[in-house]
Amino acid sequence: MDYFTNAISAADIEDIMVLRRPGGWVHSERVQLDANSLTVEAGPRTLRPNSKAVLELINLLNLQSELLTTPRTSPAAQNRFLYLPDLQPGLTAIPTSILAFLRSPLRQLLLPAILSEPLQWPNRNFTDESLHSFLARRFGSEVARTLGSALCHGVYAADSREVSVQAAFPSLYDLEDKGNGRIVFGILKDILGQGSKKKAHLAEGTVRYELGDVQDTMRGVAVYSFRGGMQSLTDALAQALTVKPNVELSSGENIIGIEMCEDEDSSLTVSQVRLIPYPIAQVSQIRTSTRTLKPSHIVSALPLPVLTTILPSASSHARPLPYLTSNPTSSVTVVNLIFAVPPNTLHPPGFGYLVPRPRGGYPGPTDVPNMLGVLGTVFDSCTLPAESKNDSEYTKLTVMLGGPYRSPLPANDDELRSRVLEYLSESLQTSLPEPVAFRVWRHMDCIPTPTVGHVARMEDLRKVLEETEGRGAWRGRLAVIGAGVGGVSVGDCVEAGKRVGAHWKSV
């Protein structure tokens, strides 16, 4: 079973989770509706089949029968929208064909920019820049605001003027090089298949994947999830690990320190605290027990600012790790709404819509704006096939708010629901019934923002971790992975974990 079993069969492994359940931000909840129930997602809700590491997990965990797939020919795959109230009421479809483009109200914005971009001289003379700067430099500031900020809202819930194009959107960044300084030429080369397959092959390197028949299942699939929601994947992984005799899963524990001893081997220790609730219900305090581990290697998937708090102090002989607090994070509020009407009754068939940055910029933290700070809305009932026949009687929507909008949202969930419903009625240009159920999830500091220079900073961090000579060298015994280092998608995080496992095999 490649890295998964080979790595853990060679050593004792302990997985320490701060939460009392596995999965981090992946969290699915089954909402009971009289005799029926539906799944809603607090975090990631779908996956794309482009991550072989996730497909391998599906194969190894035997989750093929739990898959819910959406084909590329479906409305969810083909129809995506923007909410541009300055341009026209309601939603604006993103054109996916030449005919649709010529009929689109976006034509006046995009056509001059697309035609003029190849005529500009190549003008990138620096390594990295923000997504906004990248698009504005080649297509103009209004294209950058309309499309770039919307894209950034959908992926990072962040300001496109801060996000590194090299780190966050490397494929977009590479188009300029492919086109010899002209992005449109790079796109044409991609369409013609010149160079893209070779680069993908080099990126995979010699990493092997045990995909079984999962890759065949994913042919023609746009997105997928699982019966019971995305948490089915993380729960199955945790369950598979519990039966391994040399693996121990510890949940509900806090790491209070990683130390490097001043002995001959500069050995590592990890101190952790187990949180034990008092048996008396009226007492809210907790008592703790502590223990110390002496691992040969450590893999941290903690948020980088959290990792900073448990690393050796400045007075330690261990070499300090750079750039762990260089990037900010976004906080996102997720609102799930369930209506007792069939899918596509309240909205056009499609995946959902994104909302660009306001023309006047984001309101400040002390402003009281009329806008809620909506980043986008997903048409959940259209995005994936129904889990059961009863699902076809309901419409599920998920609204994401916050991110670069710093003004506070209503603290009361019912008030927030009412304001979200007003916003949806305006954006969808329809009167909405009262939802039969709703959930509000307030995720603090959930998505790291890779700012300009992130790729170079993480390369410097990697070099420090892999240094082998001198006092306090980490010598590759601490690996730092996760959304704050590489990409923020589930696939990026699983791939990072796989490559750490592959490295263990050669230790």
Side-chain angles (χ1 to χ4, degrees):
M1 294 172 64
D2 202 27
Y3 79 103
F4 186 69
T5 52
N6 288 338
I8 66 174
S9 65
D12 292 331
I13 293 178
E14 176 148 357
D15 187 348
I16 304 170
M17 298 177 288
V18 176
L19 299 177
R20 296 191 178 277
R21 60 167 186 81
W25 297 113
V26 176
H27 180 54
S28 310
E29 180 181 317
R30 197 73 181 170
V31 178
Q32 194 65 39
L33 302 170
D34 296 327
N36 302 321
S37 63
L38 280 80
T39 300
V40 297
E41 300 284 5
R45 58 205 60 253
T46 58
L47 296 166
R48 295 184 181 277
N50 55 0
S51 170
K52 289 187 177 181
V54 179
L55 299 185
E56 181 177 44
L57 270 186
I58 294 171
N59 177 46
L60 298 179
L61 298 172
N62 296 313
L63 289 175
Q64 291 91 327
S65 62
E66 301 301 309
L67 287 170
L68 295 173
T69 60
T70 300
R72 293 176 190 162
T73 54
S74 70
Q78 297 189 353
N79 301 336
R80 295 166 188 263
F81 303 89
L82 296 172
Y83 180 41
L84 306 170
D86 294 341
L87 184 64
Q88 66 174 21
L91 302 183
T92 300
I94 298 175
T96 55
S97 68
I98 294 177
L99 183 60
F101 177 77
L102 295 176
R103 294 175 175 174
S104 172
L106 291 171
R107 181 193 59 188
Q108 290 182 323
L109 171 66
L110 297 180
L111 186 59
I114 293 172
L115 293 178
S116 63
E117 195 272 341
L119 304 179
Q120 297 181 45
W121 286 103
N123 58 355
R124 181 164 75 187
N125 54 9
F126 35 78
T127 303
D128 196 10
E129 61 186 314
S130 71
L131 175 63
H132 177 87
S133 172
F134 175 83
L135 293 174
R137 180 168 53 80
R138 301 302 302 175
F139 297 103
S141 59
E142 189 59 17
V143 170
R145 184 193 69 84
T146 303
L147 299 185
S149 67
L151 175 63
C152 211
H153 287 170
V155 180
Y156 286 91
D159 187 344
S160 60
R161 296 169 297 185
E162 297 180 358
V163 171
S164 159
V165 66
Q166 184 187 26
F169 302 101
S171 297
L172 186 59
Y173 178 85
D174 291 340
L175 287 174
E176 194 169 10
D177 289 333
K178 288 180 183 179
N180 296 319
R182 294 170 173 86
I183 296 173
V184 169
F185 287 171
I187 294 173
L188 292 175
K189 283 188 175 182
D190 259 6
I191 293 173
L192 297 174
Q194 297 180 16
S196 56
K197 291 183 179 179
K198 181 179 179 181
K199 180 161 187 176
H201 175 73
L202 291 174
E204 283 183 13
T206 57
V207 178
R208 294 174 55 249
Y209 300 88
E210 291 191 30
L211 302 178
D213 60 355
V214 177
Q215 195 166 28
D216 292 333
T217 302
M218 293 296 172
R219 296 190 192 282
V221 170
V223 296
Y224 67 94
S225 184
F226 306 89
R227 300 183 189 279
M230 290 283 293
Q231 193 174 322
S232 298
L233 177 64
T234 53
D235 284 349
L237 178 58
Q239 182 60 36
L241 290 172
T242 58
V243 302
K244 299 292 180 182
N246 57 333
V247 176
E248 180 181 349
L249 297 181
S250 303
S251 61
E253 301 201 5
N254 284 341
I255 306 296
I256 58 176
I258 296 174
E259 295 294 340
M260 183 183 292
C261 301
E262 292 198 62
D263 54 23
E264 182 179 353
D265 297 323
S266 292
S267 55
L268 304 177
T269 65
V270 176
S271 300
Q272 62 187 111
V273 175
R274 183 181 296 274
L275 308 179
I276 308 173
Y278 275 108
I280 305 174
Q282 291 80 3
V283 179
S284 59
Q285 294 179 333
I286 57 175
R287 57 186 177 184
T288 63
S289 66
T290 61
R291 61 173 176 157
T292 300
L293 304 176
K294 294 185 176 181
S296 62
H297 294 78
I298 301 171
V299 177
S300 171
L302 291 170
L304 298 187
V306 176
L307 176 60
T308 301
T309 65
I310 63 172
L311 286 173
S313 64
S315 60
S316 168
H317 78 295
R319 293 182 187 172
L321 301 184
Y323 304 124
L324 298 184
T325 58
S326 294
N327 290 334
T329 54
S330 291
S331 298
V332 179
T333 296
V334 176
V335 180
N336 306 124
L337 298 160
I338 301 176
F339 302 91
V341 295
N344 300 331
T345 303
L346 306 178
H347 59 75
F351 190 89
Y353 65 88
L354 294 172
V355 186
R357 180 177 69 247
R359 287 185 183 276
Y362 301 106
T366 59
D367 295 342
V368 183
N370 293 324
M371 63 188 74
L372 261 180
V374 173
L375 304 171
T377 299
V378 179
F379 304 153
D380 293 309
S381 299
C382 189
T383 303
L384 290 167
E387 291 188 53
S388 66
K389 184 178 179 180
N390 293 330
D391 286 13
S392 61
E393 301 173 8
Y394 298 92
T395 290
K396 292 190 295 181
L397 301 177
T398 298
V399 182
M400 283 75 69
L401 311 94
Y405 292 89
R406 305 303 181 188
S407 51
L409 292 170
N412 180 276
D413 288 353
D414 288 316
E415 181 183 351
L416 178 60
R417 178 203 59 176
S418 297
R419 292 195 59 189
V420 166
L421 288 174
E422 292 176 6
Y423 184 94
L424 287 173
S425 293
E426 182 179 353
S427 61
L428 298 175
Q429 293 286 287
T430 188
S431 178
L432 297 178
E434 277 295 308
V436 294
F438 77 100
R439 292 290 186 272
V440 175
W441 314 88
R442 301 174 191 263
H443 302 312
M444 299 301 296
D445 299 322
C446 59
I447 306 178
T449 302
T451 54
V452 175
H454 178 75
V455 172
R457 291 194 296 270
M458 292 302 98
E459 178 61 19
D460 288 345
L461 172 62
R462 183 192 64 79
K463 289 178 180 178
V464 172
L465 289 168
E466 293 183 357
E467 285 178 349
T468 59
E469 301 297 330
R471 183 173 181 267
W474 288 95
R475 300 188 307 200
R477 294 170 300 163
L478 171 62
V480 180
I481 61 174
V485 178
V488 299
S489 73
V490 173
D492 290 329
C493 294
V494 174
E495 182 66 43
K498 173 182 175 66
R499 290 175 183 257
V500 166
H503 174 67
W504 284 352
K505 292 167 62 177
S506 62
V507 171

